[in-house]
Amino acid sequence: MGSFWKLLKIENIRSKLLLYFFTLILLPIVTLGVLGNVIYSTSIEEQANVHTGQMIEQVTRNVEFYIHDMENIIYYLSNDPEVIGFLRLTSEEKQDETEGFHNKVQGILKTYTDIHPEIAGILVVNEHNLYTSNVMQRISRDPLTEEIWYKRALASPKTMQLFSKPIGRNIKINLDDGADEVVSITKAVIDPVTGKRLGVILIDLKLDKIKEVIEAVTLGKNGFLYLMDGNGGIVYAPVNPIVYRVKNEWLTDSANSIVKKIQDSDFQIIYKESAYTNWKTIGVFSLNETLKEVTNLRHYSILIGLITLVLAVAAAFFFTASIAKP
């Protein structure tokens, strides 16, 4: 009987030691496994957001650069004596004088389009519906002064007006670029002597340049950037089924970042509005794809944890036996 109690006492000590060892083993493994994954998951998501924000900022600056360059060209043309002379013409002017200004201005416009291949065309229209361009023509006899782009520019003479994909204009371009492949920039011209509004200058910028800027950026395997104008229209977007499922009303969050479920997947949507163009540069990428690396890490962590646990349990049995046996 004494030997039995003695054996029982040894077994109780061993059980306690095993319990202590298991606690000491499981506690750090579980803690590191859970907290490590949470911390790493948060870190990966933050890095993805920061990277996307930087790319959006860069694209926004590049697009603003091209638009600002076009506005500068309009400024130079607005101060050119030949352009001002043409804009001052009336329908009663002699044909020879009118044709003389036409030829001079067309030569000036050709100089700009030759230097800037990103320009699809430049059009100069005055208040008497006289117009000139080196590559653009009026389609019908309807007055260009009744076009929405002309009226908006004349109504706000100090403000540049942007029109993305200006389809339906009474203008055709003698190039391969259609209206859906350009962005129009318009601005009114003010007479430097009288302060009177003389007319409007329109420049069509090829979307190719904006396309190059946007497609040069990659957000993971399936992420993308696209550009939206101030009216919610798509300026340019890569071919992607997700882009047309992003709703305009989502893009009003003060943090400029939201998570939405699209086609049963969570997508991070980050955007920035340009104070200069009023356009939004929007980045969209899959959170499932971003966190896939975390999932893989979790699997590796579980595997390493199980191997560590097996080895630790074997060691615990060995050490508890050696301690309890005496």
Side-chain angles (χ1 to χ4, degrees), residues 106-126:
Q106 285 178 358
I108 295 170
L109 301 185
K110 186 177 185 303
T111 301
Y112 280 102
T113 54
D114 288 344
I115 297 174
H116 298 271
E118 68 272 16
I119 295 178
I122 307 176
L123 181 71
V124 181
V125 184
N126 75 359

Side-chain angles (χ1 to χ4, degrees), residues 173-293:
I173 307 176
N174 299 333
L175 297 172
D176 296 332
D177 302 283
D180 59 340
E181 297 175 338
V182 299
V183 171
S184 289
I185 302 99
T186 64
K187 199 169 185 180
V189 180
I190 306 298
D191 192 313
V193 177
T194 64
K196 180 183 176 182
R197 301 170 194 179
L198 295 175
V200 172
I201 295 176
L202 175 147
I203 295 181
D204 276 353
L205 173 66
K206 296 177 183 178
L207 272 180
D208 290 345
K209 281 297 177 183
I210 294 176
K211 178 181 177 181
E212 289 174 8
V213 169
I214 291 179
E215 292 191 347
V217 176
T218 56
L219 302 178
K221 292 182 180 179
N222 299 314
F224 60 92
L225 291 179
Y226 71 100
L227 207 58
M228 177 185 290
D229 63 25
N231 298 318
I234 302 296
V235 179
Y236 175 77
V239 178
N240 194 295
I242 301 299
V243 66
Y244 296 103
R245 297 179 183 272
V246 178
K247 299 179 181 179
N248 296 347
E249 55 265 28
W250 292 352
L251 310 178
T252 56
D253 189 83
S254 58
N256 292 344
S257 177
I258 55 171
V259 176
K260 289 292 182 179
K261 187 175 287 295
I262 303 174
Q263 292 184 337
D264 299 326
S265 295
D266 290 326
F267 283 85
Q268 182 82 47
I269 303 172
I270 301 175
Y271 55 93
K272 176 181 175 60
E273 183 172 357
S274 168
Y276 177 60
T277 62
N278 291 326
W279 289 355
K280 286 188 178 80
T281 307
I282 304 164
V284 183
F285 60 91
S286 171
L287 282 179
N288 298 344
E289 179 187 314
T290 303
L291 299 178
K292 187 177 180 180
E293 185 177 346

Side-chain angles (χ1 to χ4, degrees), residues 35-133:
L35 292 181
N37 278 294
V38 171
I39 293 171
Y40 189 70
S41 174
T42 304
S43 176
I44 287 291
E45 189 172 344
E46 288 177 353
Q47 288 179 9
N49 290 350
V50 169
H51 172 73
T52 303
Q54 291 172 343
M55 294 299 100
I56 288 174
E57 182 71 29
Q58 184 62 45
V59 168
T60 301
R61 285 200 298 266
N62 289 342
V63 171
E64 286 177 346
F65 170 80
Y66 284 116
I67 301 298
H68 191 263
D69 200 25
M70 297 301 104
E71 188 176 16
N72 283 339
I73 292 173
I74 292 177
Y75 172 79
Y76 296 138
L77 289 172
S78 299
N79 289 277
D80 188 285
E82 301 295 346
V83 174
I84 292 175
F86 172 80
L87 289 171
R88 286 173 175 167
L89 291 174
T90 64
S91 55
E92 287 80 21
E93 300 286 349
K94 294 180 180 179
Q95 186 175 358
D96 292 343
E97 186 176 358
T98 302
E99 288 182 358
F101 273 113
H102 268 289
N103 295 332
K104 291 177 183 178
V105 174
Q106 285 178 358
I108 295 170
L109 301 185
K110 186 177 185 303
T111 301
Y112 280 102
T113 54
D114 288 344
I115 297 174
H116 298 271
E118 68 272 16
I119 295 178
I122 307 176
L123 181 71
V124 181
V125 184
N126 75 359
E127 61 178 342
H128 301 289
N129 198 40
L130 294 175
Y131 76 94
T132 187
S133 173

Side-chain angles (χ1 to χ4, degrees), residues 307-322:
I307 294 173
T308 304
L309 184 61
V310 170
L311 295 175
V313 168
F317 272 103
F318 173 77
F319 286 120
T320 54
S322 63

